mmCIF file of all heavy atoms in Angstrom:
data_model
loop_
_atom_site.group_PDB
_atom_site.id
_atom_site.type_symbol
_atom_site.label_atom_id
_atom_site.label_comp_id
_atom_site.label_asym_id
_atom_site.label_seq_id
_atom_site.Cartn_x
_atom_site.Cartn_y
_atom_site.Cartn_z
ATOM 1 N N PRO K 203 15.109 3.774 80.543
ATOM 2 C CA PRO K 203 16.414 3.835 81.222
ATOM 3 C C PRO K 203 16.654 2.631 82.123
ATOM 4 O O PRO K 203 15.832 1.729 82.209
ATOM 5 C CB PRO K 203 16.286 5.092 82.063
ATOM 6 C CG PRO K 203 14.833 5.171 82.396
ATOM 7 C CD PRO K 203 14.059 4.426 81.336
ATOM 8 N N GLY K 206 19.790 3.169 89.044
ATOM 9 C CA GLY K 206 21.108 3.374 89.647
ATOM 10 C C GLY K 206 21.922 4.425 88.907
ATOM 11 O O GLY K 206 21.381 5.368 88.339
ATOM 12 N N PRO K 242 10.382 18.583 85.696
ATOM 13 C CA PRO K 242 10.149 19.651 84.711
ATOM 14 C C PRO K 242 10.619 19.271 83.311
ATOM 15 O O PRO K 242 10.147 19.830 82.334
ATOM 16 C CB PRO K 242 10.980 20.812 85.250
ATOM 17 C CG PRO K 242 11.293 20.489 86.660
ATOM 18 C CD PRO K 242 11.243 19.004 86.805
ATOM 19 N N PHE K 255 13.652 -4.499 91.537
ATOM 20 C CA PHE K 255 15.082 -4.663 91.724
ATOM 21 C C PHE K 255 15.489 -4.135 93.098
ATOM 22 O O PHE K 255 15.099 -3.046 93.489
ATOM 23 C CB PHE K 255 15.735 -3.857 90.597
ATOM 24 C CG PHE K 255 17.215 -3.792 90.660
ATOM 25 C CD1 PHE K 255 17.983 -4.937 90.497
ATOM 26 C CD2 PHE K 255 17.856 -2.573 90.840
ATOM 27 C CE1 PHE K 255 19.360 -4.858 90.523
ATOM 28 C CE2 PHE K 255 19.231 -2.504 90.872
ATOM 29 C CZ PHE K 255 19.977 -3.645 90.706
ATOM 30 N N ILE K 297 13.991 -9.959 86.609
ATOM 31 C CA ILE K 297 13.040 -8.933 87.047
ATOM 32 C C ILE K 297 12.715 -7.985 85.884
ATOM 33 O O ILE K 297 11.565 -7.587 85.686
ATOM 34 C CB ILE K 297 13.613 -8.172 88.267
ATOM 35 C CG1 ILE K 297 13.669 -9.111 89.464
ATOM 36 C CG2 ILE K 297 12.782 -6.944 88.578
ATOM 37 C CD1 ILE K 297 14.470 -8.567 90.631
ATOM 38 N N MET K 305 4.483 -5.008 80.931
ATOM 39 C CA MET K 305 4.271 -3.880 80.022
ATOM 40 C C MET K 305 3.592 -4.342 78.730
ATOM 41 O O MET K 305 2.597 -3.760 78.305
ATOM 42 C CB MET K 305 5.631 -3.251 79.726
ATOM 43 C CG MET K 305 5.603 -2.044 78.826
ATOM 44 S SD MET K 305 7.259 -1.324 78.713
ATOM 45 C CE MET K 305 8.141 -2.607 77.814
ATOM 46 N N GLU K 307 1.836 -6.923 78.173
ATOM 47 C CA GLU K 307 0.492 -7.484 78.381
ATOM 48 C C GLU K 307 -0.535 -6.406 78.691
ATOM 49 O O GLU K 307 -1.748 -6.661 78.602
ATOM 50 C CB GLU K 307 0.539 -8.529 79.509
ATOM 51 C CG GLU K 307 1.082 -9.869 78.998
ATOM 52 C CD GLU K 307 1.199 -10.916 80.095
ATOM 53 O OE1 GLU K 307 1.121 -10.542 81.286
ATOM 54 O OE2 GLU K 307 1.407 -12.092 79.754
ATOM 55 N N LYS K 319 3.054 8.183 68.884
ATOM 56 C CA LYS K 319 3.863 8.331 67.671
ATOM 57 C C LYS K 319 5.227 8.968 67.970
ATOM 58 O O LYS K 319 5.544 10.057 67.491
ATOM 59 C CB LYS K 319 3.119 9.157 66.613
ATOM 60 C CG LYS K 319 1.895 8.444 66.067
ATOM 61 C CD LYS K 319 1.381 9.099 64.806
ATOM 62 C CE LYS K 319 0.016 8.554 64.421
ATOM 63 N NZ LYS K 319 -0.102 7.083 64.455
ATOM 64 N N GLN K 488 28.611 1.234 103.119
ATOM 65 C CA GLN K 488 29.362 1.019 104.356
ATOM 66 C C GLN K 488 30.598 0.150 104.147
ATOM 67 O O GLN K 488 30.518 -0.898 103.505
ATOM 68 C CB GLN K 488 28.453 0.321 105.363
ATOM 69 C CG GLN K 488 28.586 0.923 106.728
ATOM 70 C CD GLN K 488 27.492 0.425 107.653
ATOM 71 O OE1 GLN K 488 26.343 0.257 107.235
ATOM 72 N NE2 GLN K 488 27.847 0.200 108.899
ATOM 73 N N GLY K 521 40.619 12.235 112.220
ATOM 74 C CA GLY K 521 41.373 13.413 112.605
ATOM 75 C C GLY K 521 40.558 14.685 112.438
ATOM 76 O O GLY K 521 39.478 14.673 111.831
ATOM 77 N N LEU K 600 48.472 5.222 103.375
ATOM 78 C CA LEU K 600 49.170 6.494 103.601
ATOM 79 C C LEU K 600 50.292 6.687 102.582
ATOM 80 O O LEU K 600 50.422 7.755 101.969
ATOM 81 C CB LEU K 600 49.746 6.508 105.028
ATOM 82 C CG LEU K 600 50.448 7.806 105.433
ATOM 83 C CD1 LEU K 600 49.476 8.971 105.431
ATOM 84 C CD2 LEU K 600 51.092 7.675 106.817
ATOM 85 N N GLU K 605 52.675 9.267 97.856
ATOM 86 C CA GLU K 605 53.351 9.115 96.561
ATOM 87 C C GLU K 605 52.644 9.922 95.472
ATOM 88 O O GLU K 605 53.268 10.673 94.731
ATOM 89 C CB GLU K 605 53.397 7.624 96.175
ATOM 90 C CG GLU K 605 54.111 7.406 94.847
ATOM 91 C CD GLU K 605 54.039 5.948 94.392
ATOM 92 O OE1 GLU K 605 53.945 5.050 95.237
ATOM 93 O OE2 GLU K 605 54.059 5.738 93.165
ATOM 94 N N HIS K 663 32.876 -15.403 59.844
ATOM 95 C CA HIS K 663 34.307 -15.641 60.090
ATOM 96 C C HIS K 663 34.990 -16.350 58.916
ATOM 97 O O HIS K 663 36.125 -16.816 59.055
ATOM 98 C CB HIS K 663 34.494 -16.434 61.382
ATOM 99 C CG HIS K 663 34.093 -15.657 62.601
ATOM 100 N ND1 HIS K 663 34.837 -14.605 63.087
ATOM 101 C CD2 HIS K 663 33.003 -15.735 63.403
ATOM 102 C CE1 HIS K 663 34.230 -14.089 64.145
ATOM 103 N NE2 HIS K 663 33.114 -14.751 64.355
ATOM 104 N N VAL K 667 34.483 -20.426 53.530
ATOM 105 C CA VAL K 667 35.374 -20.101 52.405
ATOM 106 C C VAL K 667 36.749 -20.725 52.604
ATOM 107 O O VAL K 667 37.329 -21.293 51.678
ATOM 108 C CB VAL K 667 35.500 -18.566 52.244
ATOM 109 C CG1 VAL K 667 36.523 -18.203 51.192
ATOM 110 C CG2 VAL K 667 34.143 -17.971 51.882
#
Side-chain angles (χ1 to χ4, degrees):
Chain K
F255 175 65
I297 292 168
M305 181 174 68
E307 280 178 346
K319 293 194 191 313
Q488 223 168 322
L600 183 63
E605 181 186 332
H663 293 288
V667 174

